[in-house]
Amino acid sequence: MNDDPRTGSGDARGGSGSDTAGAADTGARIRQIHDVGSRALEWLYAHRDGFRLEDHPDPEVGVLDRFKPLGELALIGKVIFREGVAGSQQAATAHKLLDHAWHEILDSGARLADGQTREPLSPVPFEVYVPFKELGYSNPQVEAAARLNHRLLSRQVLEVLPVRRLGLSAMERRFGLAPGLPEDEAAGRTWLAHRPEPWTVEGHIGYDITHTVFHLTDWGENPSGLPPDIAGYLATWLPVWLDDWLDLGRWDLLGELLVVDACLPEPTLDPAAWRGFAAAQQPDGAMPVQAAMPEGDEEYVFDLVYHPTLVAAFASALAVSRAMADLTAPSPS
């Protein structure tokens, strides 16, 4: 049986009845994926105050730790607008959420400028700023500080993991700065570039894999950015990893791997993985990190589930876009 969500199940040679059933099945699969993203975005907007900053953070954590969720929000908001498959209500919700994050939480960028002043070696304020700038938000102080800090030798030689260096190089290129390390060289140092034994993948390596793909494809915009050898390796082993993390109920990593699938030149939009992922989502749109929803006060729960919920919105936007593009592609002659 053909269980590909892009073509539907059943044999297309069965005539118009099979064609109709296949089209209905395909539509149902796409609606399921779309609804995951729509519900996730509704939850994020309803809990937007969870994207909070702290005026007096724990010295062991630092002032910049809470900036990261805002940068992830901007990155995924950009994907939603770029792909153009969200409905008008979903797009309006995303706009309101990003406006709230930029103006109310980041004080129109002033908090990022302050963060760069406090910790000039940290690339976090810059990484958060770039996707907001690409969405039309700007702050001259942040940009001036970013260019100044980029010239620091200490920033250029900052020791970070290879996938982190790849991400920084991509952000520098997108902002118009010369990357501290060329992206092809940075990519060549990552775990994924070496295509190691696939059975050695565990949680940390899994996230390294997903983020390597995100950076190489500009967050799904350019699937051809994956070198053919990496794309082939992923086409072979990603289905196995999807099965593994689905069985384990690791929803956050499963969501990121579903994004990776949508970044491939020929995505599978794995039906079983998507069914399991959708079933894990809560009625209000929240997505647990793994297994069931955590318990605790509202801020504690938000800090645990905002990321898998953002990932659900990300995976949904890309998967629906790829499915729709495949449906509307000209039939081979």
Side-chain angles (χ1 to χ4, degrees):
M1 176 181 290
N2 179 359
D3 205 23
D4 189 328
R6 299 170 298 172
T7 59
S9 60
D11 192 334
R13 295 170 296 179
S16 59
S18 294
D19 291 344
T20 301
D25 186 57
T26 299
R29 292 179 188 280
I30 294 175
R31 282 195 298 275
Q32 179 188 61
I33 296 172
H34 178 273
D35 288 348
V36 166
S38 180
R39 288 195 298 269
L41 196 58
E42 289 171 2
W43 185 90
L44 291 165
Y45 183 72
H47 295 81
R48 59 193 177 278
D49 289 337
F51 290 100
R52 64 201 183 279
L53 298 180
E54 297 179 9
D55 292 322
H56 305 290
D58 185 330
E60 296 299 318
V61 175
V63 70
L64 304 183
D65 190 61
R66 297 215 60 85
F67 283 155
K68 294 177 183 178
L70 295 164
E72 293 162 346
L73 173 64
L75 282 165
I76 291 165
K78 185 184 175 216
V79 171
I80 290 171
F81 298 136
R82 183 191 75 210
E83 297 303 325
V85 293
S88 58
Q89 182 175 351
Q90 190 178 357
T93 299
H95 273 296
K96 290 189 294 184
L97 183 54
L98 288 162
D99 278 345
H100 174 78
W102 178 256
H103 295 297
E104 302 301 324
I105 302 178
L106 290 173
D107 191 16
S108 300
R111 297 295 295 265
L112 292 175
D114 178 67
Q116 287 190 131
T117 300
R118 289 173 182 249
E119 299 187 36
L121 290 187
S122 174
V124 171
F126 171 72
E127 291 177 289
V128 172
Y129 180 73
V130 170
F132 274 106
K133 179 178 174 61
E134 292 172 336
L135 287 165
Y137 304 94
S138 64
N139 181 296
Q141 288 180 295
V142 177
E143 299 200 16
R147 296 184 188 281
L148 175 64
N149 292 343
H150 182 70
R151 295 198 295 268
L152 297 174
L153 177 61
S154 189
R155 275 283 289 271
Q156 297 298 319
V157 299
L158 191 65
E159 295 185 6
V160 297
L161 291 172
V163 67
R164 185 86 167 89
R165 177 58 65 191
L166 174 61
L168 292 174
S169 294
M171 284 291 184
E172 289 163 347
R173 184 239 318 149
R174 287 164 56 179
F175 187 70
L177 296 171
L181 186 69
E183 284 179 74
D184 56 350
E185 184 177 346
R189 298 181 181 183
T190 62
W191 185 97
L192 185 57
H194 295 277
R195 308 183 306 284
E197 300 81 4
W199 57 87
T200 63
V201 172
E202 43 74 50
H204 290 295
I205 293 176
Y207 285 109
D208 288 346
I209 291 169
T210 62
H211 282 71
T212 299
V213 173
F214 300 164
H215 299 317
L216 288 174
T217 63
D218 275 338
W219 297 81
E221 183 174 10
N222 178 30
S224 64
L226 282 177
D229 55 351
I230 291 180
Y233 178 80
L234 289 170
T236 300
W237 294 111
L238 182 59
V240 179
W241 298 333
L242 286 170
D243 285 347
D244 282 347
W245 300 120
L246 175 61
D247 288 344
L248 292 169
R250 290 280 298 272
W251 312 121
D252 188 59
L253 184 51
L254 178 64
E256 292 206 3
L257 291 171
L258 288 171
V259 175
V260 169
D261 176 62
C263 290
L264 294 178
E266 296 184 10
T268 66
L269 309 184
D270 188 285
W274 268 108
R275 282 195 298 270
F277 191 61
Q281 189 176 34
Q282 304 302 293
D284 65 357
M287 182 67 74
V289 176
Q290 65 181 74
M293 280 287 288
E295 297 181 355
D297 64 52
E298 188 172 353
E299 289 187 352
Y300 173 77
V301 171
F302 178 89
D303 289 346
L304 289 178
V305 306
Y306 86 86
H307 187 268
T309 307
L310 272 173
V311 169
F314 182 16
S316 170
L318 270 188
V320 170
S321 179
R322 297 303 301 276
M324 295 298 291
D326 197 62
L327 285 175
T328 57
S331 299
S333 55

